[in-house]
Amino acid sequence: MLEFDVAVIGAGPAGLAAALAAKRSGAQKVVLVERDFRMGGILEQCIHMGFGLKYFGEELSGPEYAARFIKRIEEEDITVMLDTMVLSIDGDMRVIHAVNKNGVVNIKAGSIILSMGCRERTRAQVAVPGTRPAGIFTAGTAQRFINVQNELVGKKAVIVGSGDIGMIMARRLTLEGVKVEGVVEIMPYLAGLTRNRVQCLDDYDIPLYLSHTISDIRGQYRVEGVSVARIDENREIIEGTEFDIDCDTILFSVGLIPENEVSKSAGVLLDPVTGGPIVDDHMETNISGIFACGNVLHVNDLVDNVSIESEKAGKAAALFAQGRLHEKTEAISLACGENIRYVTPQKIVRGGQDDVTIYFRVSSPERNIRIQAEADGAVLLEEKRAFVNPGEIEFITLQKENLSGINAEQLIIRTVRE
Amino acid sequence: MDYKTDVVIVGAGIVGSAVARQLSRYELDVMVVEKKEDIGGTASRQNQGVVCATSVFSMLMYEDEHMMDPTITNLFTISNALIYPQWIADLEVKYRQIGAICVAKNQDEMDKMEVARKKGWERGDYRTRRVTKKQVYELVPQLAPGYIGGYYCPDECAIDVFDLVVAMMQNAMENGVKVLTKTKALAIDVDKETKTVRGLKTDKGYIEANYVINCCAIYADDLAKTTGYCDYRCYPRYGQTPIMDKNLPYAPTPMVRPCPGRVATGVAITPTASGNLGVGPSADNGEDKEYTATTKEGIEKVMEQARKLIPEMDLRDSVTQFTGARCCKDPSNWVIEVSHNIKGYCEAVGITQGVTAAPAIACYIQNLLENDGLQLEPKDDFQPHRKKIKRFVDMTEEERAEAIAEDPAYGTVICRCETVTEAEIVRAIHTPPYARSVDAIKRRLRAGMGRCQGGFCSSRIVEILARELKVPVETITKNEPGSEIIVDTCRK
Amino acid sequence: MNEKTITCIICPSSCHITVRGSGNSIESIEGHTCKRGMKYASSEYLHPERNLTAIVKAKDYKTPVISVRTSRPVPKDKQIACMRIIRELEVGPPYEIGRVILKNILDTGADILLTNE
């Protein structure tokens, strides 16, 4: 049995930042466990730009953003175990069960940070009908095939879902000589960032079909085409609007799901809306000494936010391992008010010494609104927003002075129209 | 290339594989011809979630009654009571007893099921019993309100169907049976004078043989016609089936079915051997034997019926949806016989419950052939146990350490959802019946069958296949030729 | 006289900004709600530029290809031509982030840099 003060599972952006912060917050022995052959996680295949503006003040590609953290990890005395797969966690004992080519690896840790990231939703979860031929990929899988393995997935593609990865892959495919016939989005608005629509679709005249769905996939062995149809507000197909697109490839970019199979084995409770653990403002889960950060917690749109949030988890985990994280006391729970789909953290420990940033998503797009934090009928904080969109994470920061006076059980976050 | 053999089995589905395994016990040259790239047939491949229906009662509830002639009933009874457990033990096939319950909404349905129970009893089903409303809800607490009782059989088993097919064929091959995949049977060659089988014409050459056994399921009529005698028609019955994720809070322990109506068969909720839930299937007759697709309406209808049993059923918890083509025959009786018209022609057609009956059918056919004069000399060195690929997911921690020490590839997990290691994938490629495609790996090991549906592992499996087979990645297929996954390299 | 509608990407408001002008001169900009938006619209009208990222063949590297990018944005209409050149590149060690593997691609003033190591 190996023993560490802090064990971090997953060396993607969340794990890298958390491990580094843990080390710098005084944890002596830190281990980073990664299943792939290198650190960096999904950033290694995100070769496009757009990372780091907030965190580093300059625009970087995914691998460059990861490399800055990897360098720091390598400079610190942090143990990195690559090609090592965590199979389960004993939550009470805080023992990680993993394997690699050298055998079974068991790690007893003072505290554990869950940073396994997320996985892509598949065709099955959106129940697209039709045949099941070759040529159907999730956008991220296609991205790995092309950007890491040098393998081209098709010649003529349709993309389902207007998430960022889908739009970025539309451009990537186009630059690789693949004809992208269109992006089909079931919602009446874009799922990803406007910037990506402009630079990934509009630049190459790739059609975007909002309020449309794939009503059929054809092809027995390889994809031969799709049927696309307009839908009404009940998501029912409007008759007579159907048209066919010939293609040999379909990429699904229909959302991400936090990857929490290992968390479940430890007894960690999940939020049904985020799909990630319920945490307090120290990023601690319901299981004492187990922390969570990054996309395992909720799906982020900006890696910079992941790094910032994960540093918080790393620091708290280090303090916990040293016995310095103050006792779990009562917590204020956060509730979703008008047009708020979820908030994280879901709880704030009373008597904290830090400001608390709350991340949330809205349920539907709105213009000219105010974000309110309310407890016991009193508005603690109010911020204006010109525009909010379900595709983009919002956050507000509550000052510790604001928090210390709260006696209420619940703090409600909501949007209010002007 | 031409071949010479004693017996040719056409079709490597569950029946063909079982027959091959049974005949491999004897000093006999046996070949299996399969037109697809992998064994497993059409129906058996798509049968990944269906239970080994052990009770005659459920048969009576769900199938045309006139197919239940006494021979068939005996097959079931013998199969389940005697043959099956032995085969499963010999072949180390994953299965678990789950039981099955048919639930009734009203007294009418209870009466209908009581009639079925009596008929079942006449045919050897002494185990299915009536249960009260209280017992029904104890067995299935997740059941929707409003059911008044039901009939329960504790013997139903969930079995990994494809593992059974692979196990039977692997064991047959280990005992000397030759399998030709990607080989299409074109016609049975019959001597017109003597009306005797001379061999089989295939698109890959001529096979000289004394016996041809037609186990082509849905294509059986096409092959039978080439003998000049065929008085039946085979057609597909499409079944749309959502497969649900593991560990759902609303998953029932036993298989749950409603009392079927006069026409429509009821949609069942079936726990599978691997711990998922199969929902459905629907049942729509069709013509096209090859083309299977799901439809929005079809899947929604299945889910709607399933929600009548368990209201929480949610399509968003589904890991995949597919349409299988089950084999139907018109007339619908099973025919398992040596031909009276053509000497050396044997067929097993119209089999609608292949998973349950295959081992028994195999033993029955072996006796038929022997009665017909085929010399069957038992092999001294028949090896009934297959050399099963050690499954990482089923190992204890000590066994894992040992396996990795022996082969470090056991320490590399490729499929995360189903915990499948590189060592198992490499073995599946090099162990008969050799996996040659991504789907073939998936069927043998469940890699890519989990909730991410291969999102993580498929790109790695393509590379492992190419590496092990020493071929370019562009030639690796999902399944049949034409289903290549990679079209080109990005940089030469 | 030309008219072009530009979707602003400076902030999530996504303003639709209309730019009128002829040749290299701008007559009017309408629809923006901030100064940054106006600046963006004008540069997007006069000389739209994009960062270009891609992969190149890599010898003796941990994967068959390595990621690259342009050191500065290149004219939008030169992206495809740049890609044609990048496709033919092949690199060997040393693999260092920021290493220039091609200088001044198509006279754009942009170099091609490695973005991984």
Side-chain angles (χ1 to χ4, degrees), chain B residues 339-371:
Chain B
S339 169
H340 310 298
N341 302 314
I342 308 289
K343 169 97 183 122
Y345 176 63
C346 173
E347 59 185 12
V349 298
I351 314 298
T352 46
Q353 289 286 333
V355 175
T356 305
I361 291 171
C363 298
Y364 184 83
I365 285 182
Q366 167 240 312
N367 281 280
L368 277 181
L369 296 178
E370 212 162 7
N371 299 347

Short mmCIF file of all heavy atoms in Angstrom, two decimals, chain B residues 339-371:
data_model
loop_
_atom_site.label_atom_id
_atom_site.label_comp_id
_atom_site.label_asym_id
_atom_site.label_seq_id
_atom_site.Cartn_x
_atom_site.Cartn_y
_atom_site.Cartn_z
N SER B 339 -34.20 -34.56 -44.29
CA SER B 339 -35.15 -34.49 -45.40
C SER B 339 -35.59 -35.86 -45.89
O SER B 339 -34.78 -36.79 -45.99
CB SER B 339 -34.52 -33.71 -46.55
OG SER B 339 -35.31 -33.83 -47.70
N HIS B 340 -36.90 -35.99 -46.19
CA HIS B 340 -37.41 -37.22 -46.78
C HIS B 340 -37.16 -37.22 -48.28
O HIS B 340 -37.19 -38.24 -48.93
CB HIS B 340 -38.91 -37.37 -46.53
CG HIS B 340 -39.27 -37.18 -45.09
ND1 HIS B 340 -38.79 -38.04 -44.11
CD2 HIS B 340 -40.03 -36.25 -44.46
CE1 HIS B 340 -39.25 -37.62 -42.94
NE2 HIS B 340 -40.00 -36.54 -43.11
N ASN B 341 -36.94 -36.03 -48.84
CA ASN B 341 -36.80 -35.91 -50.29
C ASN B 341 -35.36 -36.03 -50.76
O ASN B 341 -35.08 -36.64 -51.77
CB ASN B 341 -37.35 -34.55 -50.75
CG ASN B 341 -38.80 -34.38 -50.35
OD1 ASN B 341 -39.61 -35.29 -50.53
ND2 ASN B 341 -39.13 -33.24 -49.77
N ILE B 342 -34.47 -35.37 -50.02
CA ILE B 342 -33.07 -35.32 -50.43
C ILE B 342 -32.21 -36.02 -49.38
O ILE B 342 -32.18 -35.59 -48.22
CB ILE B 342 -32.59 -33.86 -50.57
CG1 ILE B 342 -33.52 -33.04 -51.46
CG2 ILE B 342 -31.14 -33.80 -51.07
CD1 ILE B 342 -33.46 -33.37 -52.93
N LYS B 343 -31.52 -37.03 -49.79
CA LYS B 343 -30.65 -37.76 -48.85
C LYS B 343 -29.45 -36.87 -48.50
O LYS B 343 -28.77 -36.33 -49.39
CB LYS B 343 -30.21 -39.06 -49.52
CG LYS B 343 -29.12 -39.82 -48.84
CD LYS B 343 -29.70 -40.95 -47.96
CE LYS B 343 -28.56 -41.66 -47.21
NZ LYS B 343 -28.71 -41.61 -45.78
N GLY B 344 -29.22 -36.67 -47.21
CA GLY B 344 -28.06 -35.88 -46.80
C GLY B 344 -28.39 -34.42 -46.51
O GLY B 344 -27.53 -33.64 -46.18
N TYR B 345 -29.66 -34.05 -46.65
CA TYR B 345 -30.06 -32.67 -46.32
C TYR B 345 -30.81 -32.65 -45.00
O TYR B 345 -31.74 -33.43 -44.79
CB TYR B 345 -30.92 -32.07 -47.44
CG TYR B 345 -31.44 -30.68 -47.11
CD1 TYR B 345 -30.57 -29.63 -46.92
CD2 TYR B 345 -32.81 -30.45 -46.96
CE1 TYR B 345 -31.03 -28.37 -46.60
CE2 TYR B 345 -33.29 -29.19 -46.66
CZ TYR B 345 -32.41 -28.15 -46.46
OH TYR B 345 -32.86 -26.90 -46.14
N CYS B 346 -30.40 -31.78 -44.13
CA CYS B 346 -31.01 -31.69 -42.80
C CYS B 346 -31.28 -30.23 -42.51
O CYS B 346 -30.53 -29.36 -42.96
CB CYS B 346 -30.03 -32.27 -41.78
SG CYS B 346 -30.52 -32.08 -40.08
N GLU B 347 -32.35 -29.93 -41.79
CA GLU B 347 -32.60 -28.53 -41.48
C GLU B 347 -33.17 -28.32 -40.09
O GLU B 347 -33.85 -29.18 -39.54
CB GLU B 347 -33.46 -27.86 -42.55
CG GLU B 347 -34.81 -28.48 -42.77
CD GLU B 347 -35.58 -27.86 -43.93
OE1 GLU B 347 -34.98 -27.10 -44.71
OE2 GLU B 347 -36.78 -28.14 -44.04
N ALA B 348 -32.84 -27.15 -39.55
CA ALA B 348 -33.43 -26.70 -38.28
C ALA B 348 -33.94 -25.30 -38.56
O ALA B 348 -33.17 -24.34 -38.53
CB ALA B 348 -32.40 -26.69 -37.18
N VAL B 349 -35.21 -25.19 -38.90
CA VAL B 349 -35.74 -23.89 -39.32
C VAL B 349 -36.99 -23.50 -38.54
O VAL B 349 -37.68 -24.34 -37.98
CB VAL B 349 -36.06 -23.86 -40.84
CG1 VAL B 349 -34.80 -24.09 -41.64
CG2 VAL B 349 -37.14 -24.86 -41.19
N GLY B 350 -37.23 -22.21 -38.52
CA GLY B 350 -38.40 -21.68 -37.81
C GLY B 350 -38.16 -21.55 -36.32
O GLY B 350 -39.09 -21.32 -35.55
N ILE B 351 -36.90 -21.66 -35.91
CA ILE B 351 -36.59 -21.64 -34.47
C ILE B 351 -36.73 -20.21 -33.94
O ILE B 351 -35.94 -19.34 -34.27
CB ILE B 351 -35.14 -22.12 -34.22
CG1 ILE B 351 -34.82 -23.38 -35.02
CG2 ILE B 351 -34.89 -22.30 -32.73
CD1 ILE B 351 -35.65 -24.59 -34.69
N THR B 352 -37.75 -20.02 -33.13
CA THR B 352 -37.98 -18.67 -32.60
C THR B 352 -37.42 -18.50 -31.19
O THR B 352 -37.40 -17.41 -30.68
CB THR B 352 -39.49 -18.36 -32.56
OG1 THR B 352 -40.14 -19.48 -32.01
CG2 THR B 352 -40.01 -18.06 -33.94
N GLN B 353 -37.02 -19.62 -30.56
CA GLN B 353 -36.47 -19.52 -29.21
C GLN B 353 -35.11 -20.19 -29.19
O GLN B 353 -34.85 -21.09 -28.38
CB GLN B 353 -37.43 -20.17 -28.21
CG GLN B 353 -38.70 -19.37 -27.99
CD GLN B 353 -38.45 -18.14 -27.16
OE1 GLN B 353 -37.52 -18.07 -26.36
NE2 GLN B 353 -39.26 -17.11 -27.36
N GLY B 354 -34.25 -19.77 -30.10
CA GLY B 354 -32.95 -20.41 -30.27
C GLY B 354 -32.11 -20.38 -29.02
O GLY B 354 -31.42 -21.36 -28.70
N VAL B 355 -32.17 -19.30 -28.29
CA VAL B 355 -31.32 -19.17 -27.10
C VAL B 355 -31.66 -20.28 -26.10
O VAL B 355 -30.79 -20.88 -25.49
CB VAL B 355 -31.50 -17.79 -26.45
CG1 VAL B 355 -30.73 -17.70 -25.16
CG2 VAL B 355 -31.07 -16.71 -27.42
N THR B 356 -32.93 -20.56 -25.98
CA THR B 356 -33.34 -21.57 -25.02
C THR B 356 -33.12 -22.98 -25.56
O THR B 356 -32.73 -23.87 -24.81
CB THR B 356 -34.84 -21.38 -24.70
OG1 THR B 356 -35.00 -20.04 -24.26
CG2 THR B 356 -35.30 -22.34 -23.65
N ALA B 357 -33.34 -23.16 -26.84
CA ALA B 357 -33.41 -24.53 -27.35
C ALA B 357 -32.15 -25.03 -28.03
O ALA B 357 -32.03 -26.23 -28.29
CB ALA B 357 -34.59 -24.63 -28.32
N ALA B 358 -31.20 -24.15 -28.36
CA ALA B 358 -30.10 -24.55 -29.23
C ALA B 358 -29.34 -25.81 -28.77
O ALA B 358 -29.13 -26.72 -29.58
CB ALA B 358 -29.14 -23.38 -29.41
N PRO B 359 -28.91 -25.89 -27.52
CA PRO B 359 -28.19 -27.11 -27.12
C PRO B 359 -29.03 -28.37 -27.31
O PRO B 359 -28.52 -29.40 -27.76
CB PRO B 359 -27.86 -26.86 -25.64
CG PRO B 359 -27.85 -25.37 -25.51
CD PRO B 359 -28.92 -24.90 -26.43
N ALA B 360 -30.31 -28.29 -26.99
CA ALA B 360 -31.17 -29.45 -27.16
C ALA B 360 -31.35 -29.79 -28.63
O ALA B 360 -31.33 -30.96 -29.03
CB ALA B 360 -32.53 -29.19 -26.51
N ILE B 361 -31.51 -28.76 -29.46
CA ILE B 361 -31.64 -28.98 -30.90
C ILE B 361 -30.39 -29.68 -31.43
O ILE B 361 -30.47 -30.61 -32.24
CB ILE B 361 -31.87 -27.64 -31.64
CG1 ILE B 361 -33.25 -27.09 -31.29
CG2 ILE B 361 -31.72 -27.82 -33.15
CD1 ILE B 361 -33.50 -25.67 -31.79
N ALA B 362 -29.23 -29.25 -30.94
CA ALA B 362 -27.97 -29.84 -31.40
C ALA B 362 -27.90 -31.33 -31.08
O ALA B 362 -27.53 -32.14 -31.92
CB ALA B 362 -26.80 -29.09 -30.76
N CYS B 363 -28.31 -31.68 -29.86
CA CYS B 363 -28.28 -33.09 -29.47
C CYS B 363 -29.30 -33.90 -30.28
O CYS B 363 -29.05 -35.04 -30.68
CB CYS B 363 -28.57 -33.24 -27.98
SG CYS B 363 -27.34 -32.43 -26.96
N TYR B 364 -30.43 -33.27 -30.52
CA TYR B 364 -31.50 -33.91 -31.28
C TYR B 364 -31.03 -34.19 -32.70
O TYR B 364 -31.22 -35.29 -33.22
CB TYR B 364 -32.71 -32.96 -31.27
CG TYR B 364 -33.96 -33.47 -31.92
CD1 TYR B 364 -34.83 -34.30 -31.23
CD2 TYR B 364 -34.29 -33.08 -33.22
CE1 TYR B 364 -36.01 -34.75 -31.82
CE2 TYR B 364 -35.47 -33.53 -33.81
CZ TYR B 364 -36.32 -34.36 -33.11
OH TYR B 364 -37.48 -34.78 -33.71
N ILE B 365 -30.37 -33.21 -33.32
CA ILE B 365 -29.89 -33.36 -34.69
C ILE B 365 -28.81 -34.44 -34.77
O ILE B 365 -28.78 -35.25 -35.70
CB ILE B 365 -29.37 -32.01 -35.24
CG1 ILE B 365 -30.56 -31.12 -35.57
CG2 ILE B 365 -28.49 -32.20 -36.48
CD1 ILE B 365 -30.21 -29.77 -36.16
N GLN B 366 -27.94 -34.45 -33.78
CA GLN B 366 -26.90 -35.47 -33.77
C GLN B 366 -27.54 -36.87 -33.81
O GLN B 366 -27.11 -37.75 -34.56
CB GLN B 366 -26.02 -35.30 -32.53
CG GLN B 366 -25.10 -36.46 -32.23
CD GLN B 366 -25.40 -37.06 -30.87
OE1 GLN B 366 -25.54 -36.34 -29.88
NE2 GLN B 366 -25.54 -38.39 -30.83
N ASN B 367 -28.61 -37.06 -33.04
CA ASN B 367 -29.31 -38.34 -33.05
C ASN B 367 -29.99 -38.61 -34.38
O ASN B 367 -29.99 -39.74 -34.87
CB ASN B 367 -30.33 -38.40 -31.92
CG ASN B 367 -29.67 -38.69 -30.58
OD1 ASN B 367 -29.36 -39.84 -30.28
ND2 ASN B 367 -29.40 -37.66 -29.81
N LEU B 368 -30.58 -37.54 -34.95
CA LEU B 368 -31.24 -37.69 -36.25
C LEU B 368 -30.25 -38.21 -37.30
O LEU B 368 -30.57 -39.12 -38.07
CB LEU B 368 -31.76 -36.34 -36.74
CG LEU B 368 -33.09 -35.80 -36.26
CD1 LEU B 368 -33.36 -34.45 -36.91
CD2 LEU B 368 -34.22 -36.78 -36.58
N LEU B 369 -29.05 -37.61 -37.31
CA LEU B 369 -28.05 -37.98 -38.30
C LEU B 369 -27.60 -39.43 -38.08
O LEU B 369 -27.42 -40.18 -39.02
CB LEU B 369 -26.84 -37.04 -38.22
CG LEU B 369 -27.09 -35.58 -38.57
CD1 LEU B 369 -25.82 -34.76 -38.40
CD2 LEU B 369 -27.63 -35.43 -39.99
N GLU B 370 -27.46 -39.76 -36.82
CA GLU B 370 -27.05 -41.13 -36.49
C GLU B 370 -28.12 -42.12 -36.95
O GLU B 370 -27.81 -43.15 -37.56
CB GLU B 370 -26.85 -41.23 -34.97
CG GLU B 370 -25.78 -42.21 -34.58
CD GLU B 370 -25.29 -42.00 -33.15
OE1 GLU B 370 -25.88 -41.16 -32.43
OE2 GLU B 370 -24.32 -42.66 -32.77
N ASN B 371 -29.38 -41.78 -36.70
CA ASN B 371 -30.48 -42.63 -37.14
C ASN B 371 -30.51 -42.76 -38.65
O ASN B 371 -30.95 -43.76 -39.21
CB ASN B 371 -31.83 -42.05 -36.69
CG ASN B 371 -31.93 -41.96 -35.18
OD1 ASN B 371 -31.13 -42.54 -34.47
ND2 ASN B 371 -32.92 -41.20 -34.70
#
